[in-house]
Amino acid sequence: MSGPAPARAKGGRRWRALPTLAFLSIAVAGVGLAAHGAIIPAKAALAQVLLDRAFETSRSTHEQVKAWPWADHTPVARITVPRLKVSEVVLSSGSGEALAFGPTLMPGGMQPGQPGTAVIAAHRDTHFRFLQQLRPGDVVTVETIDGRRSSFRVQGGYVVRNDRFGIPANAPTPTLALSTCWPFNAQTRGPWRYVVIANSIA
């Protein structure tokens, strides 16, 4: 009778160990997912540091400088909203990659500060989240890499379909249009855009 008992005890320990192994596996997987989730904000933070450096270099040399060698965009300006303590580097090209890292100066519009309308777009849940807090009278400043600084006063915002969003290129004075997806808290894409219009402060 003494022979089989150890085998049963050993088997019992083996079965009791399975929940422990399962827990450890889940824990390790959870740590892995958490680490992966932490990498994304870390990469975003690093990208902002590199973009800030590239903008400062571009401003001192008056030449477009890439933040990293394989980027398909370069810093072209910095947009600030003093009341909201917002400061964002504006990128060229308007590509999807550029939008992932910051606001982009959209092709087809004018350069900020020139007669006509300059259009800057960004994602509603990241760099242009602050648009919902802008109010008439707020001042928006845009500094380009050639050292020009232009100030604009917010007139207001409106919602429009993306296929009805027309830009008056022949505006007599410099105008700034800031565009993002709408509504702000939606999780899916849609055809609507929220556009803030700001006019040059003479």
Side-chain angles (χ1 to χ4, degrees):
M1 293 182 62
S2 60
R8 287 197 299 271
K10 184 177 180 181
R13 285 194 300 270
R14 185 182 300 114
W15 286 107
R16 284 194 298 272
L18 286 178
T20 302
L21 290 174
F23 172 78
L24 289 175
S25 298
I26 293 171
V28 169
V31 170
L33 288 173
H36 178 71
I39 287 173
I40 296 175
K43 287 173 66 177
L46 175 60
Q48 294 309 304
V49 171
L50 296 176
L51 288 171
D52 283 335
R53 289 179 180 175
F55 174 77
E56 294 301 329
T57 302
S58 298
R59 189 174 61 172
S60 63
T61 62
H62 301 308
E63 296 180 358
Q64 294 185 0
V65 177
K66 290 184 177 182
W68 46 88
W70 57 90
D72 70 345
H73 50 78
T74 59
V76 293
R78 183 187 295 278
I79 182 172
T80 58
V81 184
R83 184 180 71 83
L84 300 178
K85 297 180 172 59
V86 168
S87 178
E88 298 281 356
V89 174
V90 180
L91 306 174
S92 64
S93 86
S95 70
E97 179 188 339
L99 280 169
F101 293 106
T104 65
L105 182 64
M106 302 303 290
M110 304 301 292
Q111 293 295 312
Q114 294 182 352
T117 303
V119 183
I120 300 176
H123 289 308
R124 62 188 167 191
D125 55 352
T126 53
H127 301 95
F128 266 11
R129 182 183 301 166
F130 72 87
L131 289 195
Q132 59 188 317
Q133 298 174 317
L134 282 177
R135 59 194 185 203
D138 279 342
V139 174
V140 179
T141 300
V142 181
E143 181 182 9
T144 55
I145 62 173
D146 60 6
R148 288 184 296 109
R149 185 186 296 267
S150 304
S151 295
F152 303 84
R153 194 175 304 281
V154 172
Q155 303 302 304
Y158 63 96
V159 177
V160 63
R161 282 185 60 95
N162 57 4
D163 56 358
R164 305 266 180 94
F165 181 27
I167 298 301
N170 58 347
T173 60
T175 302
L176 186 65
L178 307 177
S179 175
T180 193
C181 291
W182 190 87
F184 284 97
N185 297 321
Q187 300 298 317
T188 57
R189 295 182 179 180
W192 300 101
R193 300 293 180 266
Y194 181 67
V195 183
V196 171
I197 299 296
N199 292 337
S200 175
I201 300 175

